[in-house]
Amino acid sequence: MRNIFSMPKGILQHINDPKDIRALEIVDLIQLAQELREFIIDIVATKEGHLGASLGVVELTIALHYVFNTPKDKLIWDVGHQAYGHKILTRRREIFNTNRQLGGISGFPKRSESLYDDFGTGHSSTSISAILGMALASQIKGTKNMQHIAVIGDASIASGMAFEGLNHAGDTNANILIVLNDNAIGIDPSVGALKKYLTNVKKGTAKDENIFECLNFNYSGPMDGHDLAALINELKRLKDIEGPKLLHIITTKGKGLKKAEENQVVYHAPGKFNKETGDLWPKTSEKQPPKYQDVFGYTIVELAKNNENIVGITPAMPTGSSLKYMMEQLPERAFDVGIAEQHAVTMAGGMAAEGLVPFCNIYSTFLQRAYDQIIHDVALQNLPVIFCLDRAGLVGQDGATHHGIYDMAYLRCIPNLIIFAPLNEIELRDIMFTAQLGLGQPIAIRYPRGRGVTLDWKQKFNKIPIGISQELKKGTKIAVLSIGHIGNMVSDLLKSMNEKGQIGHYNMRFVKPLDTAMLKKIFSTYESVITIEDGCKMGGFGNAILEYANEIHSFVPIKIFGIEDVFIEQGTVEELHKIAKIDISTLKNYINNLLNTD
């Protein structure tokens, strides 16, 4: 065993691989845990990222790599935002300052990044199914003495997919270990009956039968997830037990940074902060337009106070979606259903069937998880659910797992469903107002992460006629058709160009139904048409315009600006727009080339 005293300047700098961890004494591992926490805090304080989750599993991370023979033994981190310590200890310490940066390492486990990242994650509740698949593969291939571990939180294990995995795993003799990291919080505090059950287990007041033992898991715990020596001993014991096992550990999210422990919601991903005190660096005092999520949050409260049938639903994102404002003011009509997108959509359908007006707010990337429910439970029955798709478009540093770029394509093919993308905060408010008046069919309203463009956004409501676009600027030669917030970039560009009135700009607003009357006028007036969207080209808004042009036998050339058929990795939104070629300079160059062809 190597001793701490033979190592100058601490331990972490000498850890390049989990093999180095296995050479340490327990006292050294405790020191390593302290250094690892400090290292994570140092980097995230300046580079930003997910903080609280990784701080909470430092001891667990060290214990897992100490006891198990990674990467031969398989280890999956559910969601993955708690895997920073794992990344640092598995040959990525020197490049961890590139975490979530353009060209750097991903903020989530990623198979192509490291042999130690056995399965890519980012969305929740996938780890049990994936680790079971790996364990069964080991059995089929006749691989002996391989361990399979999944780490999942108490919020994620309450999701339907996690239960499906538990249900199957308990009916096998697969050699898997599920580590339930119970900190009573996901991004927001955990909710639901399972959370109450786990609380009772921790208190020792649960009923005699253990739910996991009833599912045929060898259950142990609950135990202190910050007691490194005890964790190591228990993991060693479980390593020698065959079949499905579940270890229940209790941890504190944000452990080791007082501010992060006290305010776990804010310090999930706090932005830049003072690494010594934990205090957040003050935001700019300059008055800014609001975040789209807050426009939604304040507007639904305003509407709900005048319409008693309005209800709000979010799957575990009350803070991120700003439904928290309704939960605070009208708690009996706002529902956090936990990480349960399928349930959220179908519950909204049930409410709509009974005459309520449900606003179902789900991030674009997470609505993918409820696709069948949108079709089968809502659209097929033509139930007037109002879907609010936050984080639509490229979201930035969370990367490929979180970009909301597929919604226009995957929703456009569903009958009965209206799709709307507001240009600004006022249009978001107006379409919410219009939808709650009663459309007789479902609608999806997509809007981006971040801020709008309007300081004076809280204006009198106006009804928006369905399927009607806006001519923002009349032109003679080139028509630019934009959908949603990216249209503001087009407006800014045209104001800066000396194009002599040759370029028209149309805020199409509706992906479905298209404003065919306006499109006929455009195709009969202009020599060229450009479409631009912050979504995938294949099947998206531009494709819808192209299909319509084909229907009316138009020969006007159409250029589609959108995201190509590739996964876009992490970076700032501005960097990614440039990579995707939907940025202002790319559009300007294309327009100038068209204008100069004559």
Side-chain angles (χ1 to χ4, degrees):
M1 291 283 186
R2 194 160 46 182
N3 193 280
I4 183 174
F5 298 110
S6 66
M7 298 181 193
K9 300 180 183 177
I11 300 174
L12 181 59
Q13 65 173 321
H14 299 281
I15 305 298
N16 298 309
D17 185 282
K19 289 177 185 174
D20 298 327
I21 300 172
R22 295 169 201 139
L24 297 175
E25 304 282 358
I26 292 293
V27 66
D28 300 340
L29 295 176
I30 294 170
Q31 174 64 25
L32 175 61
Q34 177 64 27
E35 292 181 24
L36 183 56
R37 271 202 176 88
E38 290 172 358
F39 188 84
I40 292 170
I41 291 168
D42 280 356
I43 298 293
V44 178
T46 56
K47 297 290 186 177
E48 303 188 17
H50 294 106
L51 179 68
S54 286
L55 293 182
V57 295
V58 164
E59 288 83 8
L60 174 64
T61 304
I62 292 170
L64 288 170
H65 284 296
Y66 182 82
V67 172
F68 295 102
N69 185 25
T70 54
K72 182 177 182 292
D73 290 337
K74 301 302 175 185
L75 172 61
I76 300 178
W77 299 89
D78 201 274
V79 182
H81 56 217
Q82 78 283 57
Y84 287 6
H86 160 80
K87 291 200 172 206
I88 293 161
L89 297 176
T90 54
R91 304 179 183 174
R92 286 166 280 185
R93 184 187 75 252
E94 293 296 329
I95 57 171
F96 190 70
N97 65 336
T98 71
N99 184 44
R100 302 173 80 247
Q101 310 298 310
L102 183 68
I105 62 173
S106 170
F108 299 94
K110 186 177 179 183
R111 277 169 55 85
S112 61
E113 186 179 289
S114 171
L115 287 171
Y116 291 89
D117 292 357
D118 290 302
F119 201 81
T121 50
H123 292 190
S124 87
S125 315
T126 61
S127 61
I128 298 174
S129 298
I131 206 68
L132 177 59
M134 290 180 174
L136 293 175
S138 294
Q139 284 185 354
I140 291 166
K141 293 190 294 184
T143 307
K144 304 291 185 185
N145 303 317
M146 184 182 286
Q147 303 292 325
H148 304 86
I149 309 101
V151 179
I152 186 168
D154 57 292
S156 294
I157 205 169
S159 177
M161 187 175 177
F163 269 116
E164 292 166 20
L166 289 169
N167 183 52
H168 183 195
D171 196 37
T172 72
N173 63 346
N175 189 29
I176 66 171
L177 169 62
I178 309 301
V179 180
L180 172 55
N181 175 37
D182 185 354
N183 58 17
I185 191 168
I187 296 175
D188 287 276
S190 302
V191 297
L194 186 63
K195 178 239 177 136
K196 291 177 182 175
Y197 169 77
L198 293 174
T199 300
N200 289 337
V201 169
K202 287 181 273 190
K203 291 178 180 176
T205 59
K207 294 177 181 176
D208 290 341
E209 285 190 303
N210 180 283
I211 189 171
F212 301 109
E213 289 177 346
C214 291
L215 291 171
N216 204 32
F217 278 77
N218 187 315
Y219 173 88
S220 59
M223 66 177 296
D224 182 357
H226 300 299
D227 186 335
L228 189 48
L231 265 181
I232 288 171
N233 288 335
E234 183 59 16
L235 289 172
K236 284 180 176 178
R237 185 186 75 82
L238 291 169
K239 188 176 179 180
D240 294 328
I241 297 174
E242 294 187 356
K245 305 166 286 288
L246 188 140
L247 172 60
H248 184 182
I249 67 170
I250 311 304
T251 63
T252 301
K253 189 171 182 178
K255 179 75 172 177
L257 184 66
K258 190 168 183 289
K259 294 277 188 181
E261 292 182 35
E262 291 171 348
N263 196 339
Q264 295 176 334
V265 174
V266 168
Y267 283 82
H268 171 76
K272 291 182 171 64
F273 61 93
N274 184 317
K275 68 181 183 180
E276 304 297 336
T277 64
D279 292 327
L280 302 180
W281 293 119
K283 306 289 185 186
T284 177
S285 57
E286 180 184 339
K287 194 173 182 185
Q288 294 179 290
K291 293 179 179 178
Y292 277 102
Q293 67 184 62
D294 287 337
V295 174
F296 163 82
Y298 291 126
T299 301
I300 192 173
V301 171
E302 188 178 346
L303 293 171
K305 286 180 177 178
N306 292 308
N307 183 344
E308 62 183 13
N309 288 324
I310 289 177
V311 290
I313 301 167
T314 178
M317 302 300 289
T319 299
S321 70
S322 291
L323 191 68
K324 64 179 182 180
Y325 301 133
M326 187 177 184
M327 294 175 73
E328 290 164 359
Q329 296 189 48
L330 300 166
E332 71 286 355
R333 289 161 57 194
F335 302 89
D336 176 2
V337 301
I339 303 174
E341 292 85 3
Q342 294 177 325
H343 167 60
V345 169
T346 303
M347 188 177 94
M351 289 174 155
E354 289 301 299
L356 295 183
V357 180
F359 282 80
C360 187
N361 188 305
I362 303 181
Y363 287 12
S364 170
T365 187
F366 297 146
L367 191 65
Q368 295 162 187
R369 295 159 63 94
Y371 193 57
D372 181 61
Q373 286 69 27
I374 301 167
I375 297 172
H376 182 270
D377 299 336
V378 176
L380 182 62
Q381 303 183 86
N382 208 20
L383 293 169
V385 173
I386 303 163
F387 294 106
C388 293
L389 279 57
D390 199 340
R391 285 9 179 226
L394 291 165
V395 297
Q397 293 172 319
D398 279 341
T401 56
H402 283 63
H403 295 317
I405 60 177
Y406 306 110
D407 54 79
M408 286 186 283
Y410 73 67
L411 294 176
R412 194 167 69 83
C413 59
I414 302 175
N416 294 334
L417 184 63
I418 299 168
I419 307 170
F420 181 92
L423 176 69
N424 53 37
E425 305 92 317
I426 295 167
E427 284 198 347
L428 175 55
R429 278 172 57 79
D430 285 348
I431 196 64
M432 290 175 67
F433 169 73
T434 303
Q436 58 90 40
L437 293 175
L439 296 174
Q441 62 190 108
I443 183 171
I445 306 165
R446 72 182 307 267
Y447 50 91
R449 181 178 185 268
R451 296 187 181 277
V453 293
T454 313
L455 288 174
D456 182 24
W457 59 274
K458 199 170 183 181
Q459 299 182 16
K460 181 177 176 291
F461 290 117
N462 289 293
K463 187 175 179 180
I464 293 178
I466 301 302
I468 301 299
S469 61
Q470 287 181 322
E471 182 180 67
L472 298 180
K473 180 180 178 298
K474 191 184 291 290
T476 57
K477 185 175 180 182
I478 302 168
V480 182
L481 280 53
S482 63
I483 189 75
H485 177 82
I486 202 167
N488 295 292
M489 180 193 80
V490 177
S491 293
D492 291 342
L493 171 61
L494 298 186
K495 286 173 188 172
S496 71
M497 293 180 71
N498 181 25
E499 43 81 28
K500 299 173 184 174
Q502 296 178 87
I503 305 170
H505 180 203
Y506 296 83
N507 170 30
M508 295 306 294
R509 305 201 292 193
F510 290 90
V511 182
K512 185 180 178 182
L514 288 172
D515 186 348
T516 55
M518 182 69 82
L519 288 174
K520 281 179 183 174
K521 178 183 169 186
I522 290 168
F523 283 116
S524 65
T525 304
Y526 292 89
E527 298 172 21
S528 294
V529 168
I530 297 168
T531 70
I532 186 162
E533 61 198 290
D534 59 346
C536 63
K537 285 171 68 172
M538 193 175 291
F541 163 68
N543 266 199
I545 302 299
L546 194 62
E547 289 164 12
Y548 180 72
N550 182 62
E551 280 180 28
I552 62 171
H553 307 292
S554 169
F555 292 97
V556 174
I558 300 172
K559 169 66 175 176
I560 300 173
F561 283 91
I563 296 161
E564 298 290 350
D565 189 25
V566 294
F567 288 112
I568 303 290
E569 300 300 340
Q570 72 277 356
T572 65
V573 172
E574 293 74 19
E575 289 169 339
L576 299 183
H577 276 208
K578 194 167 185 179
I579 288 170
K581 295 184 170 63
I582 56 172
D583 60 302
I584 194 165
S585 61
T586 302
L587 181 60
K588 181 178 182 179
N589 290 339
Y590 182 83
I591 290 174
N592 279 332
N593 286 338
L594 273 184
L595 292 174
N596 294 330
T597 53
D598 290 347

